[in-house]
Amino acid sequence: MNELPRLTSLAHGGGCGCKLAPSVLRELLADQPVTHVFPQLLVGTETADDAAVWQVDDNTCVIATTDFFMPMVDDPRDFGRIAATNAISDIYAMGGRPIMALAILGMPIDKLAPAQIREILAGGREICAEAGIPVAGGHSIDAPEPIYGLAVIGLCHPSELRRNADARPGDALILTKGIGVGIYSAAIKKGALDDQGIAEMVASATTLNRIGSDLAKRPEVHAITDVTGFGILGHGLEIARGAGLRLHLDLAALPLLDRAAELAKAGHFTGASTRNWAAYGAEVSLPPDLPDWQRALLTDPQTSGGLLVSCAADAAPDLLASIRAAGFPLAAIIGRAEAGTPGITVA
């Protein structure tokens, strides 16, 4: 009997590490038509935000997003669960609540068994059920590499919409999940991560960021984004550029998955980490003589990573306690936003 192939062996990349480099994406979007001619489109492509937002009336905004990628784990159900959690996160990052999803599926049907593909779909439905939404349809194609994700629709009140560009000077910055998913996935590809490490990574990547909907109800929370393929530096830069501020990150305060530092020191970087730094390193000030492995953590592409929250500094301790109590034990205050040249300083 033929042995079923490893999912990761069928993909040239995995998870949010598949994203185009930030510099490439900015070049591709540079000549896109302006969207401010549609006054009801509150969020489009202008601020590199997590989802599009259309205001229907005084009480309702519709949030729309799509996210899909190739596998970064070999278990089909876990792949489906991670991809679904990651896609739904964009709704939470805007302060909304999801209401339904559509599946996006591309599979090499000559290489994968139908049972494997069914498990991927089942994993996605499992997470959608946890979020309280249906998979209401979708689209599928025969593709050379396995691809799965969701288009997700959500709702929010206009007052609860949170853009990544609305951070304010003096804000504290909170990160809700540990960094290191990309490094763990690189180790998986090389067979260098044990079952315990895989379980830790999957547990983090399948934790829904539903805390974003609760945080958006707090007026002291000014901006939210989720940290995915561009790493903490890349998504931090989106906040900095959008708000016209400089972010100051405390390297020692950054939460990490248990083995992230160990694996980074051993050279388990992703190609996306290198591309990320090449794309935006000129806008970042790092400590002198920072080891490459620590820089790799800062640029590490997160798949279904945590929320980066910009909030009033005096409210940060209480918000942090609420986030940890909601199931995010690694959440930490990692820095602050200040007036200055847009960019990031790491110290």
Side-chain angles (χ1 to χ4, degrees), residues 91-298:
I91 303 295
Y92 295 132
M94 302 301 298
R97 57 178 181 84
I99 58 170
M100 72 173 181
L102 303 174
I104 300 165
L105 184 74
M107 290 289 144
I109 57 175
D110 59 331
K111 297 174 183 175
L112 287 175
Q116 290 177 289
I117 300 173
R118 285 198 298 269
E119 279 291 289
I120 293 168
L121 294 171
R125 287 196 305 271
E126 179 182 325
I127 289 297
C128 286
E130 185 179 338
I133 64 173
V135 179
H139 186 66
S140 59
I141 62 170
D142 185 3
E145 297 179 282
I147 297 168
Y148 176 69
L150 300 174
V152 190
I153 302 298
L155 300 174
C156 75
H157 190 278
S159 67
E160 294 171 6
L161 174 63
R162 291 297 181 270
R163 288 168 272 236
N164 64 6
D166 292 335
R168 302 178 188 177
D171 275 1
L173 301 171
I174 299 173
L175 181 62
T176 64
K177 289 186 183 181
I179 291 170
V181 174
I183 286 166
Y184 274 47
S185 66
I188 288 174
K189 276 259 190 184
K190 299 172 186 175
L193 191 63
D194 58 20
D195 289 346
Q196 183 178 353
I198 293 172
E200 180 197 8
M201 185 193 76
V202 170
S204 177
T206 56
T207 297
L208 286 163
N209 281 326
R210 65 172 92 231
I211 188 67
S213 299
D214 298 327
L215 292 172
K217 293 177 172 60
R218 305 277 295 263
E220 59 268 38
V221 172
H222 304 141
I224 307 174
T225 192
D226 62 349
V227 178
T228 56
F230 301 153
I232 184 64
L233 290 184
H235 293 285
L237 276 169
E238 290 174 344
I239 287 180
R241 294 181 191 129
L245 300 174
R246 190 156 195 92
L247 304 192
H248 296 262
L249 301 185
D250 180 356
L251 184 62
L254 290 176
L256 303 177
L257 298 182
D258 284 349
R259 296 183 59 192
E262 169 201 338
L263 292 168
K265 289 177 183 178
H268 294 293
F269 309 160
T270 66
S273 178
T274 302
R275 292 194 302 273
N276 281 344
W277 180 251
Y280 54 61
E283 299 172 80
V284 178
S285 174
L286 297 178
D289 303 318
L290 186 74
D292 287 346
W293 68 267
Q294 284 191 292
R295 191 182 74 186
L297 287 167
L298 293 167

Side-chain angles (χ1 to χ4, degrees), residues 6 18 29 53 84 88 92 141 158 206 208 273 302 308 328 345:
R6 293 178 59 196
C18 301
L29 295 177
V53 181
I88 297 170
Y92 295 132
I141 62 170
T206 56
L208 286 163
S273 178
Q302 304 306 290
L308 180 58
F328 298 87
T345 297

